[in-house]
Amino acid sequence: MSTQTETTTIPSEIEQLRKDFPALHQTHPNGKPVVYLDSGASAQKPQCVIDTVSECYSDYYANAYRGVYYFGARIDEGIERSRELVRELINARSTSEVIFTSGTTMSINMVARGLGEGFFTKDDEIILNVLEHHANIVPWQMIARQTGAKIKYLPLTEDGRLDLDELPELLTEKTKLLSVTGMSNVLGSIPNLEQIISACHQNGTLVLVDGAQLVPHASVDVQTLDIDFLTFSGHKLYGPSGVGVLYGKETLLDKMEPMLGGGHMIDQVFQDKSTWAELPAKFEAGTLPIAPIIGLGKAIEYVRKIGFEAIETYEHNLLKYAHDQLQKIPGLTILGPGTEHKGAIASFTIDNLHPHDIADWLDRSGVAVRAGHHCTMPLHDHLGIHASTRASFAFYNNFSDIDALCEGLKYTLEKHRLL
Amino acid sequence: MSTDQYEELYEDYILPHFEDPYHKEEIECASCQHSERNPLCGDTVTLQLIIGKDDIIEKAFFSGNGCAISQAGASILCEEIEGKTVTELEKFSAEEMLELLKVPLTATRQRCGLLGFKVLKTMLYSRDGERIEEESTPSP
């Protein structure tokens, strides 16, 4: 847990932290300093993570769980150390509940298919909502099509939060699973997981939390919240790309079928059949993303040293400043709830200006944001827009970054003869 | 290209095509038409052609929604292809379309700039398909 000292450390030491991230000190080809406001898509990496990955390849690389020699043993130790660091991060009961995957998308697919036909039968219900990323919609549609299960959508409030008043009505004896984001990747909305999970469990419904956006910004305790499945990606948590995590309660993982068959996930292989290995190996077929896993461990150590309490406080102040400043831009509408109900993301539209044009002209100002539907087409349909512009923040952003965003927006408006 | 040159071209060439586009309207009597959507951002372009004697494009119209680059691109395309033959358009390349846009585009934005072009190419391709089908179907 963070101490009070750590809470007050950021923002005074923010400039010191920024030095840890080499990409934040690069220059755009047009000479402008780069302002990175796309951490929601993928976060920048601190030098210690880059060095850890590099050392893994240069000093002791080998395949995992296969080499009896020195290099192999070091790799195995590195992977298991990362697994323990993930366990501590989310407070899982045991490292058997921590599965390394390629990312959140893979993790969610593994649960959907792993539960599969043995769990979902015709007319069973799965509850989703339109805030969800395509990665938390499409796998459920696929399993619904396969099993005859039905997908129901929990409605949103006017301001883009989950309308939990509607949840009791939606839960029936057929509701097998509810899958929900921990934090919307567009609106930033943070659902009340405690309330959702409690209502679902009273109904005998399992809950998967897509933590891709939440885990890099807040402390998530799977035991306190009683989460059944938690999924997240390493690359949004300041770690390397190519690695993600699936947490599942051991009792559930034991009942699930592995999605992938191959090396390492077996106990015994005969000519006509095979038996599965114990957890977590049962879900880790093939060669793991070795260096990314070891790098993720380092990223977790780095973030926990700063402390999530400090990160949350600082990012919230950053978000409030962003909202205040963005609202001064003529024609700009911030999508979603007020800052009290959301994480460090500000998605917006500007009258008569297309998100791709905005992102393109912001890039000319050195400011990196995302434009498009952000893999949430149902949400954009619900909002009645095709696309939006998204600025997403991390603890390494400072208040000047937000000033640069607003200056860039004014420049964009001028260049489109709108100011 | 320097920032100043880019800004000048954008203001003098792209924005006028975006704000006051060439033949941005829907017509009733098109010889053929086709629509496409950029899945990244939902931008749409519909192209309608009136093809006359000797397969010459007499008129080209477009409609749609989207960013300045995709909509200006469709406007520039309509202006360019009128008077050309279908055979000439079959040889018309993506590189040539990007040259017509004059401003340099990153790979992602090339999808915007080439949206109208993609509509044209798909339309010509399916038109060829239909024609081949018509020719191979024995008349009653």
Side-chain angles (χ1 to χ4, degrees):
Chain A
M1 293 301 285
S2 304
T3 63
Q4 186 57 41
T5 328
E6 279 167 343
T7 308
T8 49
T9 307
I10 303 186
S12 58
E13 286 185 8
I14 185 75
E15 294 310 314
Q16 199 57 38
L17 284 174
R18 284 170 67 87
K19 286 184 188 154
D20 295 337
F21 292 83
L24 300 180
H25 308 287
Q26 301 301 317
T27 310
H28 192 282
N30 68 13
K32 300 256 167 64
V34 166
V35 173
Y36 190 73
L37 298 177
D38 199 19
S39 300
S42 204
Q44 295 300 339
K45 321 300 172 199
Q47 190 63 49
C48 61
V49 168
I50 299 167
D51 289 345
T52 298
V53 171
S54 171
E55 280 160 18
C56 170
Y57 283 127
S58 59
D59 295 3
Y60 59 99
Y61 183 75
N63 208 331
Y65 309 122
R66 285 145 176 90
V68 291
Y69 43 84
Y70 165 65
F71 281 6
R74 272 198 72 183
I75 287 290
D76 293 354
E77 276 168 30
I79 288 177
E80 290 317 309
R81 185 175 152 69
S82 287
R83 203 186 298 278
E84 172 58 20
L85 285 161
V86 171
R87 190 203 64 74
E88 285 174 18
L89 176 77
I90 60 173
N91 192 30
R93 286 162 207 82
S94 137
T95 48
S96 303
E97 298 179 322
V98 176
I99 318 282
F100 287 119
T101 68
S102 63
T104 305
T105 300
M106 176 65 94
S107 301
I108 298 174
N109 275 279
M110 280 167 67
V111 177
R113 297 205 199 172
L115 290 172
E117 285 170 337
F119 184 74
F120 298 109
T121 52
K122 195 173 177 298
D123 297 330
D124 276 349
E125 297 161 355
I126 299 165
I127 299 182
L128 304 175
N129 67 82
V130 293
L131 288 178
E132 300 306 324
H133 188 282
H134 294 164
N136 199 20
I137 294 179
V138 183
W140 303 113
Q141 290 174 338
M142 290 163 82
I143 204 70
R145 200 168 54 188
Q146 194 185 322
T147 60
K150 292 188 167 60
I151 293 174
K152 299 204 293 193
Y153 281 80
L154 180 62
L156 300 190
T157 59
E158 196 90 336
D159 65 348
R161 290 179 293 139
L162 293 186
D163 190 349
L164 296 188
D165 292 343
E166 299 287 332
L167 182 57
E169 190 83 1
L170 220 53
L171 287 166
T172 73
E173 56 181 18
K174 289 179 183 296
T175 315
K176 286 291 191 70
L177 182 136
L178 177 145
S179 198
V180 64
T181 181
M183 170 174 155
S184 156
N185 72 317
V186 179
L187 305 186
S189 328
I190 296 182
N192 184 335
L193 291 178
E194 216 176 317
Q195 195 183 335
I196 294 169
I197 294 167
S198 156
C200 284
H201 284 177
Q202 277 173 34
N203 192 59
T205 301
L206 296 181
V207 178
L208 182 146
V209 176
D210 168 4
Q213 295 294 333
L214 183 65
V215 170
H217 299 283
S219 168
V220 179
D221 184 323
V222 293
Q223 289 194 64
T224 307
L225 286 166
D226 200 19
I227 293 175
D228 297 305
F229 298 104
L230 175 71
T231 58
F232 61 96
S233 296
H235 69 98
K236 294 191 208 289
L237 187 57
Y238 316 101
S241 60
V243 57
V245 169
L246 162 62
Y247 157 81
K249 284 181 183 164
E250 198 165 339
T251 47
L252 296 169
L253 292 174
D254 273 339
K255 284 184 212 152
M256 273 164 54
E257 281 296 302
M259 187 174 94
L260 298 175
H264 188 61
M265 54 73 72
I266 48 85
D267 176 32
Q268 278 186 292
V269 179
F270 306 97
Q271 286 197 19
D272 58 341
K273 62 176 183 189
S274 304
T275 55
W276 309 149
E278 301 270 298
L279 292 174
K282 175 179 152 186
F283 293 102
E284 292 182 346
T287 293
L288 287 170
I290 297 163
I293 289 173
I294 293 172
L296 173 61
K298 181 51 88 177
I300 291 171
E301 281 185 317
Y302 178 85
V303 178
R304 290 188 82 208
K305 211 168 137 193
I306 302 166
F308 278 108
E309 216 174 294
I311 289 174
E312 275 187 79
T313 308
Y314 175 68
E315 288 183 350
H316 191 68
N317 289 336
L318 209 56
L319 180 70
K320 278 199 282 190
Y321 183 69
H323 268 232
D324 289 347
Q325 298 306 307
L326 285 170
Q327 274 154 359
K328 293 180 190 162
I329 305 286
L332 186 145
T333 307
I334 297 175
L335 305 173
T339 55
E340 65 279 19
H341 296 296
K342 66 186 269 192
I345 283 177
S347 293
F348 55 85
T349 57
I350 298 180
D351 295 344
N352 304 314
L353 207 46
H354 191 280
H356 267 175
D357 293 326
I358 297 172
D360 193 340
W361 283 82
L362 281 177
D363 178 54
R364 285 169 207 292
S365 312
V367 180
V369 295
R370 179 147 175 202
H373 53 61
H374 322 300
C375 298
T376 57
M377 286 166 97
L379 175 63
H380 280 77
D381 283 345
H382 171 81
L383 297 170
I385 52 178
H386 291 302
S388 57
T389 309
R390 179 184 76 181
S392 50
F393 312 105
F395 63 81
Y396 50 58
N397 288 120
N398 57 20
F399 291 76
S400 317
D401 289 346
I402 290 161
D403 293 337
L405 167 67
C406 293
E407 282 309 308
L409 287 173
K410 284 179 202 156
Y411 164 72
T412 305
L413 284 165
E414 274 168 24
K415 290 297 163 192
H416 289 81
R417 303 194 261 262
L418 294 167
L419 197 67
Chain B
M1 183 179 285
S2 75
T3 306
D4 288 348
Q5 281 172 315
Y6 182 94
E7 288 186 4
E8 205 178 304
L9 260 179
Y10 193 86
E11 283 187 59
D12 296 348
Y13 182 58
I14 297 291
L15 276 187
H17 267 288
F18 178 56
E19 291 167 347
D20 185 18
Y22 180 75
H23 280 185
K24 187 169 188 174
E25 57 183 280
E26 281 179 54
I27 57 161
E28 298 285 329
C29 53
S31 313
C32 56
Q33 67 174 51
H34 183 64
S35 304
E36 292 253 349
R37 188 171 174 280
N38 180 348
L40 280 178
C41 55
D43 284 8
T44 54
V45 165
T46 298
L47 200 59
Q48 295 181 303
L49 303 182
I50 298 176
I51 303 176
K53 225 177 93 190
D54 299 327
D55 265 358
I56 289 173
I57 313 298
E58 287 179 353
K59 299 272 181 208
F61 296 87
F62 84 101
S63 53
N65 281 301
C67 64
I69 298 289
S70 75
Q71 301 304 302
S75 168
I76 291 164
L77 179 78
C78 284
E79 211 172 56
E80 173 70 16
I81 63 179
E82 286 188 355
K84 293 208 157 54
T85 65
V86 170
T87 316
E88 281 172 315
L89 291 185
E90 277 166 357
K91 289 181 195 141
F92 180 50
S93 69
E95 287 73 23
E96 286 170 304
M97 181 66 221
L98 290 174
E99 272 172 38
L100 283 177
L101 285 164
K102 296 184 185 175
V103 291
L105 299 174
T106 59
T108 311
R109 292 237 80 190
Q110 283 183 13
R111 290 207 202 186
C112 307
L114 291 174
L115 182 57
F117 172 83
K118 197 178 159 214
V119 175
L120 173 71
K121 284 289 171 177
T122 312
M123 178 162 62
L124 292 178
Y125 184 79
S126 56
R127 187 176 170 268
D128 279 354
E130 279 163 25
R131 209 166 40 190
I132 290 162
E133 219 166 84
E134 271 170 32
E135 281 165 11
S136 61
T137 313
S139 33

